[in-house]
Amino acid sequence: MEPSELAPPKAANLLHRASGLFHQAHGGNRFPVDIDVMAKGAAELFGWKDPITTIEPVNLPNFEGMLATNDSKSKWMIAYNESLLSPGRIRFTKAHELGHYMLHREKQSEFRCSKEDMFTWEGGKNIEAEADKFASHLLMPLDDFRSQMNGDINFDSLGYCADRYGVSLTATILKWLSYTDEKAVLVVSKDGFMDWASSSNAAKKSGAYFKTKNNVIEIPEKALALQDNIKEERLGTKTAAKIWFPHADSDADLKELKIFSEQYDCTLSLLILPKHIDCWENSRY
Ligand SMILES: [Zn+2]
């Protein structure tokens, strides 16, 4: 079966297994994954005649990454925005474009991907979500990720994983949210307003989520996220759940973690809620 017919995680596993064999044969560490070697070697691994031959930084206003072919469709190039400063984001962008190459290149000859496209991890048939899922599984295979994250969840353990896989802290948190049974919400904010947010499935089911798309949502006044004198709280501190979720039980506390990114001028807040909390407006209990 061709990788383009597989679900994104399976296509990523296929490439990962093939590269794992390569590493076994040639030595070297399994992580972080060498995206350039994988991207340029994928065609040979699968016997394709249109390899990725070029991976380079370019000036792409409003885009983070691009995958494009030549007129005769005999080769492809991956380009990433040269103003992307963090190596983790560059690696994720390359892996996302490799995902389009593996899964979608028969449908289009060019893919231009925005910052929003890099954080659209959900949505079944959307090709951007598929490329993100592919990138996430390629860079952070689930079995290995789970075994690394089986202790306390905080910005130290998540940061350790970000280093292990060579990805951003944001991508690491999204990975954890994608499978955890915990009720947890990531909020990315700027100047007191939510830029975007993402919830684990369990959190969504209990009403703990924010609809940030086409919506202006202020960070709650008493939230740690707004306390300018505290730049970070890596291990988390107790906050009344009601501060963030007005319909939550009045006596419930959540764990709020905070980190401020000077580089991107934004605050990451990770909210970890108690297992039995209910945040719906009209509680069913
Ligand atoms: Zn894309």
Side-chain angles (χ1 to χ4, degrees):
M1 194 183 255
E2 285 289 311
S4 59
E5 297 167 47
L6 295 171
K10 286 200 171 146
N13 282 347
L14 201 63
L15 189 54
H16 217 283
R17 272 213 306 276
S19 82
L21 292 175
F22 176 87
H23 274 302
Q24 267 176 26
H26 297 88
N29 294 328
R30 191 177 168 205
F31 300 109
V33 169
D34 190 331
I35 285 292
D36 288 28
V37 166
M38 267 194 191
K40 289 183 175 172
E44 198 186 331
L45 278 172
F46 296 105
W48 296 332
K49 302 219 157 22
D50 56 342
I52 294 170
T53 53
T54 310
I55 302 173
E56 62 183 22
V58 291
N59 185 11
L60 286 171
N62 305 321
F63 294 100
E64 300 250 311
M66 184 175 80
L67 172 74
T69 188
N70 59 345
D71 289 342
S72 59
K73 285 206 149 192
S74 63
K75 57 186 183 177
W76 293 80
M77 79 172 285
I78 289 177
Y80 56 92
N81 193 328
E82 64 186 350
S83 69
L84 280 180
L85 299 174
S86 114
R89 282 178 66 186
I90 291 173
R91 287 164 52 73
F92 194 89
T93 300
K94 288 176 182 174
H96 174 104
E97 301 308 332
L98 177 54
H100 284 316
Y101 172 80
M102 294 282 292
L103 302 166
H104 309 129
R105 75 183 187 287
E106 276 149 31
K107 297 178 192 158
Q108 286 173 222
S109 53
E110 188 177 295
F111 301 82
R112 285 172 178 253
C113 309
S114 68
K115 180 182 155 207
E116 286 69 36
D117 293 335
M118 299 296 155
F119 297 118
T120 313
W121 291 33
E122 293 159 355
K125 286 286 165 202
N126 178 330
I127 63 166
E128 297 311 328
E130 287 191 349
D132 283 340
K133 262 185 216 156
F134 176 91
S136 150
H137 281 268
L138 189 66
L139 297 169
M140 303 172 272
L142 190 56
D143 55 347
D144 190 80
F145 192 93
R146 273 180 188 276
S147 67
Q148 302 299 321
M149 289 303 297
N150 59 4
D152 192 39
I153 304 300
N154 55 55
F155 281 148
D156 286 344
S157 55
L158 288 159
Y160 168 81
C161 273
D163 288 345
R164 175 178 177 82
Y165 302 114
V167 298
S168 68
L169 186 60
T170 311
T172 313
I173 298 168
L174 287 174
K175 178 75 183 185
W176 177 66
L177 289 177
S178 74
Y179 74 84
T180 183
D181 296 331
E182 298 269 354
K183 294 177 176 173
V185 185
L186 169 67
V187 178
V188 180
S189 61
K190 264 185 193 171
D191 303 323
F193 291 92
M194 290 187 198
D195 195 7
W196 57 276
S198 183
S199 294
S200 67
N201 268 332
K204 253 180 254 163
K205 282 183 190 154
S206 56
Y209 60 86
F210 300 101
K211 281 191 176 169
T212 52
K213 204 169 184 185
N214 304 321
N215 242 342
V216 177
I217 306 180
E218 268 184 274
I219 297 292
E221 200 182 329
K222 288 185 183 160
L224 182 66
L226 272 193
Q227 313 305 313
D228 286 340
N229 54 332
I230 304 171
K231 284 257 185 257
E232 59 179 36
E233 181 56 65
R234 299 180 69 87
L235 303 181
T237 187
K238 265 189 190 178
T239 306
K242 264 184 140 5
I243 289 178
W244 283 91
F245 305 100
H247 307 292
D249 306 334
S250 54
D251 55 350
D253 288 325
L254 56 76
K255 189 163 92 169
E256 180 173 353
L257 297 87
K258 169 184 178 176
I259 201 159
F260 177 74
S261 165
E262 300 268 358
Q263 193 175 357
Y264 303 113
D265 191 29
C266 67
T267 300
L268 299 187
S269 302
L270 182 60
L271 313 173
I272 303 177
L273 293 88
K275 286 231 183 255
H276 302 292
I277 202 164
D278 182 353
C279 302
W280 294 108
E281 184 163 4
N282 297 308
S283 178
R284 289 159 293 172
Y285 301 105

